């Protein structure tokens, strides 16, 4: 019974989608530590960042499921999610969210003072995002701003400060997330318009939405190359982002206004691969650099 319930909760929060942000959270910690202190972060810091990510993402997904439960029940694509399907009650989800928030606060308290001070802003964004689709097509950018707190938080956690380099990294991830979330939203155009929900595809149409997503990812590409010039990263990192560029180009190649059949490949497979590739090449680069 406990294992079954655990599986339902893990499915509710799409635990596999952690592959999007977690590598970049670690990358933020690595870059921040090496840029400021010229050494890799301690294992304890990595552990607390991992715990903070688990808490933040679990709370965010739980909130989204509770706040959107009425729309999820109406949408054929989401009607079998845990809450509308009756597998988890709203109260159980709220308890899960509270526990996740406690885990996030605990982890932040063990990282750096500034993490605790900035926690209310992070919590606000986690809650606010789920309401943005009710009034603005820019909801994808709000989601990007929320998820990109992972790399920014990783940086701040080990340095206890902001920097322009961290901000460039943050912006790159904001537009990366907004780009592929815009692509993902193309499958719900008819439902969103019917229910009065807002998204870039619903507002501008699928062809224009895919063009906008490409522009978003051009900002990401510029941000990644900006990191190369703002840090002491070498050709190893550069090789990694060239692979990332190829993945982004392929993502836009396989999704067309008249053919959305490979949407899941573009959304999950390519983007999770991209985050892992960029992190791994950065790690190799920094391990060599840190000596």
């Amino acid at each position: 019974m406990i294992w079954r319930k655990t599986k339902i909760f893990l499915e509710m929060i799409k635990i596999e989608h952690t592959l999007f942000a977690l590598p970049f959270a670690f990358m933020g910690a690595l870059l921040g530590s090496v840029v400021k202190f010229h050494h890799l972060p301690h294992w304890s810091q990595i552990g607390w960042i991992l715990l903070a990510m688990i808490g933040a993402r679990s709370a965010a997904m739980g909130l989204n499921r509770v706040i959107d439960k009425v729309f999820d029940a109406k949408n054929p694509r989401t009607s079998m999610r845990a809450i509308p399907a009756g597998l988890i009650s709203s109260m159980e989800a709220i308890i899960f969210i509270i526990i996740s928030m406690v885990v996030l606060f605990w982890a932040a308290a063990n990282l750096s003072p500034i993490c605790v001070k900035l926690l209310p802003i992070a919590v606000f964004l986690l809650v606010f995002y789920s309401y943005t689709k009710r009034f603005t097509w820019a909801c994808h950018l709000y989601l990007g701003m929320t998820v990109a707190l992972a790399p920014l938080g990783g940086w701040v956690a080990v340095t206890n400060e902001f920097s322009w380099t961290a901000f460039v990294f943050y912006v790159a991830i904001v537009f990366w997330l907004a780009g592929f979330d815009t692509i993902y939203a193309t499958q719900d155009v008819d439902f969103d318009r019917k229910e009065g929900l807002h998204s870039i595809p619903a507002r501008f149409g699928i062809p224009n939405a895919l063009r906008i997503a490409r522009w978003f990812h051009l900002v990401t590409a510029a941000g990644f190359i900006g990191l190369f010039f703002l840090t002491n990263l070498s050709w190893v990192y550069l090789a990694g982002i060239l692979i990332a560029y190829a993945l982004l180009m392929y993502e836009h190649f396989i999704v067309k206004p008249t053919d959305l059949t490979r949407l899941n490949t573009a959304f999950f497979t390519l983007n999770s691969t991209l985050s892992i590739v960029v992190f791994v090449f950065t790690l190799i680069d920094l391990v060599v650099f840190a000596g």
Side-chain angles (χ1 to χ4, degrees), residues 156-168:
V156 171
V158 299
T159 65
N160 200 39
E161 65 180 23
F162 291 101
S163 75
W164 280 110
T165 305
F167 181 72
V168 168

Side-chain angles (χ1 to χ4, degrees), residues 69-144:
K69 63 182 180 180
V70 173
F71 294 115
D72 285 346
K74 293 180 180 179
N75 189 339
R77 183 178 67 81
T78 59
S79 60
M80 293 311 295
R81 285 177 175 172
I83 295 178
L87 302 176
I88 292 176
S89 68
S90 294
M91 183 53 65
E92 286 176 316
I94 290 170
I95 293 171
F96 176 78
I97 293 165
I98 293 171
I99 293 172
S100 299
M101 289 289 192
V102 171
V103 170
L104 172 60
F105 180 83
W106 182 39
N110 282 277
L111 283 167
S112 69
I114 196 171
C115 285
V116 177
K117 292 176 183 178
L118 295 176
L119 201 55
I121 298 175
V123 171
F124 171 78
L125 288 174
L126 290 176
V127 176
F128 184 63
Y129 158 68
S130 293
Y131 291 101
T132 56
K133 65 186 71 174
R134 288 161 169 77
F135 62 87
T136 177
W137 52 261
C139 54
H140 315 284
L141 289 166
Y142 281 100
L143 178 60

Side-chain angles (χ1 to χ4, degrees), residues 9-22 49-65 96-97 100-101 103-104 126 143 146-147 150 177 267-268:
F9 274 109
L10 291 176
E11 171 60 27
M12 180 184 76
I13 65 172
K14 295 291 182 183
I15 191 66
E16 67 275 13
H17 288 182
T18 305
L19 290 173
F20 291 141
L22 186 59
I49 289 170
L50 174 60
L51 196 63
M53 276 292 301
I54 292 172
R57 194 179 186 289
S58 298
M61 291 300 294
L63 282 163
N64 183 261
R65 296 298 185 253
F96 176 78
I97 293 165
S100 299
M101 289 289 192
V103 170
L104 172 60
L126 290 176
L143 178 60
T146 304
V147 174
L177 197 292
F267 170 71
F268 179 71

